[in-house]
Amino acid sequence: MTDEVITTQEDEALKQCFPTRFGKQTKEVDFTKQFERSRRHIEPGLVQKFGKKTENDENPDDSNDSNDDADDDEDEDEDEFPISHELLLKTHERAVTTLTVDPSGSRLVTGSADCTLKFHDFASMTPTTLRAFKSVDPTATKVSANSETHPVHHAEFNPLSPSQVLVISATPQARVLSRDGEVVTEFVKGDMYLRDMHNTKGHVSEITTGTWHPTNRNLCVTAGTDSTLRIWDTSFQRTQKEVIVHKSRAAGSAGRTRITAVAWASPVQGGSSLLVAAALDGSLVMWGADGPYSRPMAEIRDAHKKDTWTGGLTISADGRTVVSRGGDDLIKLWDTRKFKQPISVVEHPSTSDQYPNTNIRFSPDSSFLITGSATGHLHILNPATLKPELVTPVTPGSPLITVLWHEKLNQIMTGSANAETHVLYHPTMSNRGAAMVMSKAPKRRHIDDDPTLTTDLSQGLSGESVITPNGLLTNTNQASASYASRHPTLGMTASGRSRDPRRPHIPMTTPFAKSQPDEMHIRNNIPLSSMRDEDPREALLKYAEKAEKDPMFTNAWKHTQPKTIYAELSDDEEEGPSKKKVKRP
């Protein structure tokens, strides 16, 4: 009996080494394990739930079903909010300041303080290849390592035309990019020497934010530090369509302030659109989206504390409520029909003093509000009372700057100060997006999957991609290096000259150029090298006597050349041009 058991075990081990069938075999992937791997494992005490009263609170003596009730509450929260799983994207080097998703939910664009935009395509990503397919610097005017770069403040897809992305950088000029990162339109800059902002063709100082028109696909609005809002038509980039000048009434402001946030919305059930803006002087101003813009419909001077940055501003889907998050650690709810006093006010620590792009957003159906915090938690608020419904950690210890709740995907995207982008989703409630990425089979590891070992041919050949045998390992920390240091030969020919004809050639520094060469060697081998140290006037005058006695070119006229006679001037006469006589009438 024992021999039979041993023989059977040996046969089973031998069978595992042989194929079970012949022909092409498909490798099946257990997607359940992939989803479980992306589940957010958070300690129960870190997730705070509000607004739900359980039976255990009323009857504290009943402790038999406490564990079951807690599990039921967790299941209900997971079913209500798509936060059970997450997808982590680490494609930036500095804080993520803005993010946007096209209306279909297929493309994600993130902007950062590292002056770049990262374009992500959910359809091309797999669980093992979570990276951006393109990196764009929207302010780069030419392909050169010495070009200026500026942080990205805001990026937003056109809700009516998904092929356009409005990009706001720390420059006076806004740009409209295609969904592939190509510059389509660049708006003009205004004349900074004009005092009246109505006469300028564009912004004269840095732009802070902007947004698209809710019903017109060709219109967008930008707000800047020159105390103006400008409405642009993407078909005419040479001048703006309308100029809205906000005159500050704060003492000592000289009538100017900085526009910090803007929101443009149209009621779903119909009605007039609203344009709402917040300023650094603490005011909150509202205009009718169709004009006239000479005078606002309503204005609240002390909506928030003066000289605090109000970075978050959003309008509900019905157009009746406006929510503002100010730098005075307050979130306020306003009614557009009685735009005088706030309906609700709650305290919420602000991060706009360090990250001005901190925002607050309504959910797609305006049933909830979402915003981040300085501790890295995601707050889901009740829009009526502004009290939290759920508080969950996303990046503990690192401020949560920007948030977005997409309508079709039913997923929540967040950008943090630690350069991480989190996509929160639920396997059954969410559609496509991160759920589609995690439902794919992992891609086999390849050398091209490491971006530090590959080269983007459209951007030029990187110096780090050339491997020299027995060479020194320099600049190993490529993630912390700047874009120019990682691409030292960008925009140059093979000989080291710049492709831009206007840029002078800078010779490469070599060890020989740091020391002075032999002077005698230069004087003996380089012709006319001694002329560098001679005075040209003295070098010519030493031939004056020889040229007078033995002229080389005028020797034929030596005897017939008349003598030069100079005019004699007395001491009384003044040297200088003769004055013309004035004709008498």
Side-chain angles (χ1 to χ4, degrees):
M1 184 66 180
T2 305
D3 296 339
E4 294 179 357
V5 174
I6 295 175
T7 304
T8 305
Q9 292 178 354
E10 292 178 355
D11 293 343
E12 291 295 333
L14 186 62
K15 288 180 180 180
Q16 294 179 359
C17 299
F18 291 96
T20 57
R21 55 184 178 178
F22 297 95
K24 186 178 180 180
Q25 301 180 12
T26 58
K27 186 177 180 180
E28 297 181 356
V29 181
D30 190 1
F31 300 112
T32 306
K33 292 184 179 180
Q34 291 188 176
F35 283 118
E36 190 63 27
R37 198 177 299 116
S38 66
R39 178 181 289 274
R40 302 175 66 231
H41 300 284
I42 304 174
E43 298 180 5
L46 298 179
V47 180
Q48 302 178 12
K49 305 166 188 176
F50 304 90
K52 291 186 178 181
K53 196 173 184 179
T54 61
E55 295 179 358
N56 295 329
D57 297 336
E58 299 178 357
N59 300 324
D61 297 335
D62 299 338
S63 60
N64 296 330
D65 300 335
S66 60
N67 295 332
D68 298 338
D69 294 340
D71 296 339
D72 294 341
D73 292 342
E74 292 180 0
D75 295 339
E76 290 178 2
D77 290 330
E78 290 182 358
D79 293 340
E80 188 176 4
F81 306 114
I83 59 172
S84 60
H85 298 67
E86 70 175 349
L87 182 68
L88 177 60
L89 301 174
K90 295 182 179 180
T91 54
H92 284 285
E93 300 175 2
R94 295 185 182 180
V96 180
T97 56
T98 181
L99 51 87
T100 179
V101 184
D102 65 336
S104 63
S106 61
R107 189 152 294 184
L108 168 66
V109 178
T110 58
S112 171
D114 60 3
C115 310
T116 60
L117 285 171
K118 301 291 185 179
F119 288 76
H120 309 79
D121 192 5
F122 288 114
S124 61
M125 288 193 294
T126 63
T128 56
T129 57
L130 300 176
R131 60 173 180 262
F133 73 90
K134 192 169 187 179
S135 178
V136 177
D137 185 357
T139 58
T141 55
K142 51 190 174 183
V143 185
S144 175
N146 297 325
S147 61
E148 295 182 357
T149 56
H150 302 273
V152 180
H153 287 332
H154 184 75
E156 184 177 346
F157 267 102
N158 191 337
L160 304 177
S161 178
S163 61
Q164 295 178 335
V165 184
L166 177 64
V167 179
I168 305 296
S169 302
T171 60
Q173 295 175 272
R175 295 168 178 83
V176 177
L177 273 62
S178 66
R179 61 186 291 110
D180 295 326
E182 303 295 335
V183 178
V184 178
T185 303
E186 182 178 5
F187 298 120
V188 71
K189 178 182 177 181
D191 189 352
M192 65 179 69
Y193 297 103
L194 295 180
R195 178 64 182 173
D196 190 359
M197 292 294 102
H198 291 93
N199 298 329
T200 56
K201 296 182 179 181
H203 287 282
V204 300
S205 59
E206 178 184 347
I207 304 177
T208 56
T209 185
T211 186
W212 289 98
H213 193 282
T215 57
N216 192 333
R217 59 187 297 176
N218 296 324
L219 297 183
C220 63
V221 63
T222 56
T225 57
D226 54 359
S227 191
T228 64
L229 289 94
R230 299 176 188 265
I231 300 176
W232 303 85
D233 192 338
T234 56
S235 303
F236 305 96
Q237 60 182 2
R238 300 304 302 171
T239 182
Q240 69 272 344
K241 185 178 180 181
E242 296 286 346
V243 181
I244 307 175
V245 180
H246 172 58
K247 297 182 179 179
S248 176
R249 301 183 182 180
S253 63
R256 287 192 178 185
T257 184
R258 299 182 179 183
I259 307 298
T260 60
V262 63
W264 206 346
S266 178
V268 178
Q269 68 274 13
S272 59
S273 302
L274 296 176
L275 180 62
V276 184
L280 189 64
D281 60 356
S283 61
L284 198 64
V285 192
M286 180 173 62
W287 293 272
D290 300 329
Y293 304 107
S294 58
R295 179 176 298 179
M297 294 173 52
E299 180 180 359
I300 305 173
R301 296 186 184 180
D302 300 326
H304 287 276
K305 187 178 179 181
K306 182 184 176 182
D307 295 333
T308 59
W309 196 277
T310 304
L313 190 65
T314 182
I315 305 176
S316 61
D318 57 3
R320 296 182 179 179
T321 56
V322 176
V323 179
S324 60
R325 179 182 176 182
D328 52 357
D329 299 338
L330 294 177
I331 297 179
K332 297 185 178 182
L333 177 66
W334 310 87
D335 191 348
T336 57
R337 295 165 294 183
K338 297 180 180 179
F339 206 62
K340 294 182 179 180
Q341 297 294 331
I343 302 175
S344 301
V345 179
V346 296
E347 293 186 2
H348 190 84
S350 175
T351 58
S352 60
D353 54 345
Q354 186 177 4
Y355 303 102
N357 311 97
T358 304
N359 66 346
I360 186 171
R361 293 286 186 92
F362 270 104
S363 62
D365 56 355
S366 297
S367 58
F368 297 100
L369 282 166
I370 57 172
T371 187
S373 65
T375 58
H377 289 68
L378 175 66
H379 293 250
I380 302 179
L381 311 177
N382 189 328
T385 60
L386 299 181
K387 293 183 179 180
E389 296 284 345
L390 181 72
V391 178
T392 178
V394 178
T395 54
S398 181
L400 205 65
I401 302 175
T402 179
V403 294
L404 175 65
W405 193 334
H406 197 267
E407 180 179 6
K408 288 190 176 181
L409 298 181
N410 194 19
Q411 299 173 13
I412 300 177
M413 292 81 171
T414 64
S416 305
N418 59 355
E420 292 182 356
T421 303
H422 292 254
V423 183
L424 307 182
Y425 72 98
H426 192 275
T428 57
M429 294 174 54
S430 302
N431 304 318
R432 302 192 303 274
M436 179 180 63
V437 174
M438 298 308 298
S439 62
K440 293 181 180 180
K443 184 181 178 181
R444 289 186 177 182
R445 290 288 182 179
H446 192 268
I447 189 173
D448 292 341
D449 295 336
D450 190 355
T452 61
L453 301 177
T454 57
T455 303
D456 188 359
L457 296 180
S458 63
Q459 298 294 333
L461 184 63
S462 174
E464 287 79 5
S465 62
V466 180
I467 301 175
T468 57
N470 302 325
L472 297 177
L473 296 177
T474 58
N475 196 16
T476 55
N477 190 10
Q478 298 179 2
S480 61
S482 62
Y483 183 82
S485 62
R486 285 186 283 110
H487 301 80
T489 59
L490 193 63
M492 298 183 181
T493 60
S495 61
R497 294 183 176 274
S498 176
R499 297 183 187 276
D500 189 358
R502 298 169 297 178
R503 184 178 297 278
H505 172 61
I506 302 176
M508 183 175 58
T509 303
T510 61
F512 302 98
K514 295 181 181 179
S515 61
Q516 295 292 337
D518 188 11
E519 186 177 355
M520 292 298 297
H521 174 78
I522 295 178
R523 183 169 297 179
N524 297 332
N525 293 276
I526 300 178
L528 305 178
S529 61
S530 60
M531 295 180 62
R532 297 184 305 170
D533 303 328
E534 292 181 357
D535 187 4
R537 184 174 179 274
E538 294 180 357
L540 290 174
L541 288 177
K542 69 181 181 179
Y543 296 101
E545 185 178 356
K546 182 179 179 181
E548 184 178 356
K549 293 181 180 180
D550 187 13
M552 181 182 300
F553 302 102
T554 61
N555 195 18
W557 301 276
K558 182 177 180 180
H559 302 286
T560 60
Q561 186 72 17
K563 185 178 180 180
T564 305
I565 301 175
Y566 297 100
E568 296 181 358
L569 298 176
S570 62
D571 297 338
D572 298 337
E573 296 180 1
E574 295 180 358
E575 297 182 358
S578 58
K579 298 182 181 180
K580 295 182 179 180
K581 295 183 179 180
V582 181
K583 295 182 179 180
R584 295 181 181 180

